[in-house]
């Protein structure tokens, strides 16, 4: 008789392999082992025991486990189940998925870290706990009154007291001798945020994010896993830490795009966190001022408890938002003051006024356009795909294409809506805006924040400090400045081109635009009294655009209502599931050949499976970034009624992979977020 175990090995293979365990070792499910694979030794996790008699099975052909890792903890059943779910749902190798549950280095090391402590020591004084508002109390009572898995959405603007709820909820978790996990977007994981938790919970706080060294990560990981620390704050990957005795998960800014990982295991950390809470049978709190429509629909349907925090604590006023119509800018020679063509007189006047009051100005422009938007300068019209409702992108001089379904049309000679003008490519970047403003306001200092200027956390903090100290008065930035920053003297926010993000070839373009406007507007007038509330000016070519009305009122509910209607009619999430089959090859012909094969296979499967008849197969089409690092990139989008069918269909489509032409790499992206 021989002891056989199925092991998920740390290698990109879809199967689980069988190994023999030598008599000197005892293995259990969730145990980390080292096994031979080809000529290498790799680690893996034992998943399933098989007792087999030698005569039934060619046991001597089966290779032996090399050693058992006696340092790594045996993973709990709940945690393992969750990892297996991830691997299955996201169609990713089980071994590679399980490998994410371990720290980068061995536990034991004599080398001391020379950098500053990862988590600051207990701060002096400790902040006084405010008396909770009745809305805040209600959330905490709801948490107390229910047991097991439950999901809560806390819907409230910045400053409405969400973090205070997290802190209280964690406090009662600690009293029950349980642990808590707080996920925040990488960019929000600032020392200020960590300090706030340390002030409440002192040395029980651990932190994990991508900028720690492997040694720091390993140490933080062990302090949590050993039970020494009880609250883990981290970016999305902290979700993979096998925290024992988990009692609460918090996902702040749950709508943030950075919770989606686009490489390797292409998971959405917010969704994965909800699943983890399900397996751990604990509560999860999701917080946002502009929830994702997936989460919002779950709240509307009653799957999640909805809690609304209506006002900012202390009744700080919301800023005033106004639209400036860019279509009626007079031609340059008719203007009173000579201004750059992107700048309206209204916005210019307000900049002058704000600077005159010794306040600060921020100009927002999301420059990361990869293809210029083709738009009518007179009426703001731009072309959309008749099938998919997403913007068409110009290719070459003459073609407009849809990156979802590959619909083509020629570039029209004149604007199909108003016939007054030709459609023209519009494009503008932060650098140009900066240099124009610097010329207009030579006595004031401009500062720019975008991915070219700021790459590390230190650079970001440096920039924040400069602007906070008013070493600069005019800030020009991309979406990098939309989040979490709190500048007391910032009183005017200008959107250089508010409709820019409407034109993204993505069905979430309006959702992202709305979030951006609300977030960015929240930067204005944060410390002011009512008479001088902050002002936001939205320059746009489409003042009648349907998202602007709810955006000006900062009315998320109204926006969500109209957007969900559109999603429903086109069966986009949350009303359908998407899988993006991405494929790429260095040779364009072979890539196209693979695309044709993929399409044929998809059509065949749909023909054969009655349950797949409702799947839409869009494309293949060139990816919006059609060539990257010398690879030609394509995508085929599957739109399915539910995730089960989407998963089965995708697995059948890829099959054993033997049909895939050499040199082509195919990867499914389940619940895709960035369709680039
Ligand atoms: P959010 O997380 O929604 O941005 P916070 O929890 O950070 O909101 O609250 C905003 C500010 O109001 C913080 O300074 C916080 O300490 C304070 N605050 C929160 N709740 C209360 C309360 N009930 N009474 C007084 N101050 C509060
Ligand atoms: Zn289309």
């Amino acid at each position: 008789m021989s002891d056989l175990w199925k092991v998920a090995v740390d290698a990109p293979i879809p199967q689980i392999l069988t190994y023999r365990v030598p008599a000197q070792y005892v293995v259990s499910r969730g145990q980390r082992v080292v096994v031979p694979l080809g000529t290498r030794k790799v680690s893996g996790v034992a998943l399933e025991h098989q007792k087999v008699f030698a005569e039934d099975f060619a046991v001597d052909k089966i290779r032996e486990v090399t050693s058992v890792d006696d340092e790594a903890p045996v993973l709990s059943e709940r945690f393992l189940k969750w990892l297996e779910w991830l691997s299955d749902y996201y169609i990713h190798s089980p071994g590679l998925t399980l490998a994410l549950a371990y720290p980068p280095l061995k536990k034991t090391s004599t080398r001391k870290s020379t950098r500053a402590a990862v988590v600051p020591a207990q701060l002096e004084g400790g902040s006084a706990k405010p008396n909770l508002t009745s809305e805040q109390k209600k959330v905490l009572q709801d948490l107390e009154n229910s047991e097991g898995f439950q999901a809560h959405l806390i819907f409230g603007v910045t400053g409405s007291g969400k973090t205070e709820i997290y802190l209280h909820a964690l406090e009662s978790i600690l009293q029950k001798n349980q642990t808590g996990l707080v996920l925040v977007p990488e960019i929000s994981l600032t020392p200020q945020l960590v300090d706030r938790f340390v002030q409440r919970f002192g040395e029980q706080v651990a932190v994990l994010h991508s900028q720690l060294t492997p040694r720091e990560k390993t140490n933080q990981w062990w302090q949590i896993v050993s039970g020494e620390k009880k609250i883990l704050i981290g970016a999305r990957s902290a979700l993979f830490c096998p925290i024992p005795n988990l009692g609460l998960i918090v996902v702040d800014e749950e709508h943030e795009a950075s919770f989606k990982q686009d490489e390797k295991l292409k998971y959405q950390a917010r969704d994965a966190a909800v699943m983890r809470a399900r397996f751990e049978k604990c509560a999860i709190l999701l917080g946002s001022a502009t929830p994702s429509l997936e989460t919002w629909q779950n709240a509307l349907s009653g799957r999640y408890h909805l809690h609304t925090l209506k006002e900012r604590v202390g009744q700080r006023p919301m800023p005033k938002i106004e639209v400036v119509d860019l279509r009626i800018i007079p031609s340059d020679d008719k203007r009173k003051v000579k201004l750059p063509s992107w700048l309206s007189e209204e916005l210019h006047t307000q900049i002058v006024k704000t600077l005159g009051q010794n306040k600060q100005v921020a100009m927002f422009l999301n420059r990361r356009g990869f293809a210029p938007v083709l738009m009518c300068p007179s009426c703001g019209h731009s072309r959309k795909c008749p099938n998919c409702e997403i913007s068409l992108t110009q290719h070459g001089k003459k073609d407009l294409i849809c990156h979802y379904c590959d619909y083509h049309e020629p570039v029209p000679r004149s604007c199909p809506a108003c016939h007054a003008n030709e459609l023209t490519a519009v494009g503008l970047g932060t650098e140009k805006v900066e240099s124009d403003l610097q010329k207009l306001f030579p006595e004031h200092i401009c500062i720019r924040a975008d991915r070219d200027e700021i790459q590390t956390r230190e650079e970001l903090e440096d920039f924040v400090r400069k602007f906070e100290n008013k070493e600069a008065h005019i800030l020009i930035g991309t979406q990098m400045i939309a989040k979490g920053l709190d500048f007391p003297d910032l009183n005017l926010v200008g959107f250089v081109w508010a409709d820019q993000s409407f034109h993204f070839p993505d069905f979430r373009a309006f959702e992202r635009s709305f979030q951006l406007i609300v977030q960015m507007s929240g930067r204005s007038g944060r410390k002011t009294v009512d008479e001088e509330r902050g002002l936001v000016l939205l320059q746009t070519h489409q003042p009648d655009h349907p998202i602007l009305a709810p955006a000006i009122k900062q009315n998320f509910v109204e926006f969500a209502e109209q957007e969900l209607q559109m999603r429903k009619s086109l069966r986009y999430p949350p009303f359908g599931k998407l899988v993006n089959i991405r494929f790429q090859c260095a040779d364009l012909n072979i890539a196209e050949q693979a695309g044709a094969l993929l399409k044929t296979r998809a059509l065949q499967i749909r023909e054969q499976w009655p349950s797949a008849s409702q799947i839409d197969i869009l494309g293949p089409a060139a990816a919006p970034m059609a060539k990257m690092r010398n690879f030609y990139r394509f995508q085929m989008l599957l739109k399915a009624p539910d995730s089960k069918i989407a998963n089965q269909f995708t697995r059948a489509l890829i099959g054993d992979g033997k049909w895939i032409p050499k040199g082509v790499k195919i990867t499914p992206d389940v619940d895709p977020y960035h369709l680039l």
Side-chain angles (χ1 to χ4, degrees), residues 130-133 136 156-166 196 252 309 313 316:
N131 291 325
L132 296 182
T133 63
Q136 288 171 320
V157 294
T158 320
S160 61
K162 298 185 295 293
T163 308
E164 201 53 51
I165 296 176
Y166 309 153
R196 209 163 151 196
D252 194 28
L309 305 182
V313 176
R316 269 189 299 154

Side-chain angles (χ1 to χ4, degrees), residues 25 33 54-55 61 85 133 141 171 227 250 302 429 431 541 568:
Y25 293 125
V33 293
E55 51 267 39
K61 294 246 164 61
W85 174 84
T133 63
Q141 268 158 17
E171 204 172 298
V250 173
E431 269 175 69
H541 291 93
K568 196 166 197 171

Side-chain angles (χ1 to χ4, degrees), residues 101-163:
Y102 299 94
L105 301 176
K106 286 249 143 212
K107 180 183 189 178
T108 42
S109 161
T110 47
R111 232 165 16 102
K112 274 253 181 274
S113 167
T114 49
R115 299 204 331 176
V118 172
V119 184
Q122 170 87 64
L123 301 160
E124 283 300 308
S127 63
K129 270 187 277 174
N131 291 325
L132 296 182
T133 63
S134 56
E135 284 171 328
Q136 288 171 320
K137 279 188 193 147
K138 170 85 173 49
V139 183
L140 292 163
Q141 268 158 17
D142 269 21
L143 271 175
E144 285 297 320
N145 293 343
S146 35
E147 255 179 51
F149 168 71
Q150 34 167 325
H152 299 260
L153 168 62
I154 308 178
F155 166 48
V157 294
T158 320
S160 61
K162 298 185 295 293
T163 308

